[in-house]
Amino acid sequence: MGRRIDIVEVGPRDGLQNDPANLSVDQKLEFIARLEAAGVRRMESGSFVSPKAVPKMADSPAVFAGLDRAKPTRHIALALNETGVRRAIEARADEINFVLVAGEGFGRRNQGMSPQESADMLARCAPLVLEEGIPLSATISVAFGDPYDGDVDIGVVGSLAAQAQRAGVAELALGDTIGAATPWDVRRRIDRVRMEAPDVFLRMHFHDTRGAGLANVFAAVEAGVDVIDASCGGIGGCPFAPAATGNVATEDVVWMLERAGFETGLDLGRLIDTAKWLETVLGHPVASSLSRAGAFPV
Ligand code: COA
Ligand code: ZN
């Protein structure tokens, strides 16, 4: 048995939140069901943010209401404030992922918060989640660079991680919202977070905006990280990040890892079929390499 790497599928949330297409609730549920059929067991299925800020996620309560709860999938809801956390609990989210922000410029535009204000908001919201017995995770957005302010101080990332640990976060992702990370910086920031928040489990969240996405996944896996976010087709991006592009594509990450002997538990053929199906419902091509080239060996 190879080492196990768990993929968290973020297509239904990070992927669809910024796509020009407007999928119906039924189409979103079909996307989720296809991902489940491909073996996905943990997925960001929606976000509970202001519908004015992100109209494409306004139907997340309806999506959560339509989920097939008999399946073993853990459905994650994204939240950025107390209203969001309460709405996610109401929707019976299996896990809540809270968004911290490492840059002031992006933080103000994305969520109306400075980095410290996002940490204070988490400290306020965490007890609401924990007392319901719901697993709490967090993502530090723009952890490698802010589209408005430029470089992000590694000390800010470390401090947010320490505060997340104190708040009771079980798993923390470093989010490269705009594709600013390099493999060497990935290593440095992982080391720093491990020093400042030794008890949290690490996950990584990369966008392939500048071509370093898979190299960054490699660096994270080499550094011992066992959980990677990815979106089927490589769709998506953040509406508040200029020139945003999608996450590393699930099928590309799975192919690379499985070919190297890691186990993801995902069915590559079904992922590729789902990426191709996505092209038909989105009305445009998706970005992943495997959906074009297919797997190797054939
Ligand atoms: N869900 C639904 N509505 C919400 C909400 C939530 N989680 N949080 C706030 N609102 C509503 C308020 O009720 C208020 O509505 P009104 O104008 O009808 O009175 C309005 O949004 C503004 O509320 P306020 O608390 O002042 O928030 P804000 O304007 O400072 O915005 C956020 C803060 C977090 C709500 C907003 O920036 C946001 O939703 N950002 C999401 C960004 C995002 O999802 N990015 C991609 C993923 S990281
Ligand atoms: Zn993202």
Side-chain angles (χ1 to χ4, degrees):
M1 283 264 285
R3 179 176 147 207
R4 170 89 187 189
I5 304 290
D6 285 318
I7 307 290
V8 176
E9 171 63 46
V10 299
R13 197 281 302 172
D14 208 343
L16 294 182
Q17 74 178 4
N18 198 33
D19 197 278
N22 288 306
L23 267 53
S24 67
V25 169
D26 282 345
Q27 285 173 316
K28 290 183 177 186
L29 290 169
E30 180 172 355
F31 182 25
I32 289 168
R34 284 172 181 267
L35 291 165
E36 289 173 318
V40 171
R41 292 291 173 265
R42 206 175 153 208
M43 143 160 63
E44 275 188 4
S45 303
S47 83
F48 294 81
V49 297
S50 157
K52 281 184 207 137
V54 187
K56 311 265 177 184
M57 290 290 115
D59 58 5
S60 286
V63 170
F64 270 72
L67 293 172
D68 180 357
R69 301 292 188 151
K71 294 196 178 127
T73 318
R74 187 196 269 209
H75 292 285
I76 307 169
L78 201 81
L80 287 72
N81 63 6
E82 189 175 327
T83 308
V85 165
R86 290 189 188 281
R87 291 177 65 219
I89 293 170
E90 178 78 14
R92 297 199 299 121
D94 300 311
E95 173 182 340
I96 294 178
N97 189 47
F98 191 91
V99 180
L100 294 162
V101 65
E104 177 89 30
F106 181 77
R108 287 277 159 229
R109 288 165 181 87
N110 186 60
Q111 61 216 77
M113 295 173 208
S114 68
Q116 189 52 50
E117 283 165 354
S118 74
D120 294 342
M121 183 64 87
L122 171 61
R124 184 137 61 81
C125 292
L128 303 174
V129 179
L130 298 173
E131 91 203 358
E132 295 287 331
I134 299 172
L136 175 63
S137 53
T139 298
I140 302 180
S141 62
V142 299
F144 294 86
D146 180 307
Y148 304 100
D149 296 354
D151 283 327
V152 163
D153 181 1
I154 195 171
V156 173
V157 175
S159 158
L160 291 173
Q163 295 184 72
Q165 177 171 300
R166 277 204 293 282
V169 164
E171 183 195 79
L172 180 68
L174 300 191
D176 185 18
T177 313
I178 59 161
T182 64
W184 298 271
D185 201 23
V186 167
R187 183 79 207 211
R188 263 194 303 276
R189 282 169 200 255
I190 287 172
D191 288 346
R192 180 65 172 253
V193 166
R194 285 204 173 117
M195 234 165 58
E196 304 216 26
D199 300 334
V200 294
F201 210 74
L202 270 183
R203 169 168 53 91
M204 299 302 283
H205 179 100
F206 296 118
H207 284 261
D208 196 21
T209 313
R210 293 181 172 78
L214 283 183
N216 292 331
V217 171
F218 169 80
V221 170
E222 286 292 287
V225 171
D226 297 313
V227 191
I228 303 287
D229 285 356
S231 78
C232 184
I235 59 170
C238 179
F240 299 92
T245 56
N247 298 86
V248 287
T250 311
E251 56 274 23
D252 295 358
V253 173
V254 165
W255 175 77
M256 180 179 82
L257 292 174
E258 298 250 335
R259 181 141 172 84
F262 297 95
E263 304 213 357
T264 64
L266 297 184
D267 180 325
L268 189 54
R270 286 190 176 197
L271 287 173
I272 292 173
D273 288 348
T274 302
K276 288 185 171 156
W277 169 83
L278 261 181
E279 294 186 324
T280 68
V281 288
L282 298 176
H284 61 76
V286 297
S288 74
S289 298
L290 268 283
S291 64
R292 284 191 302 274
F296 179 86
V298 180

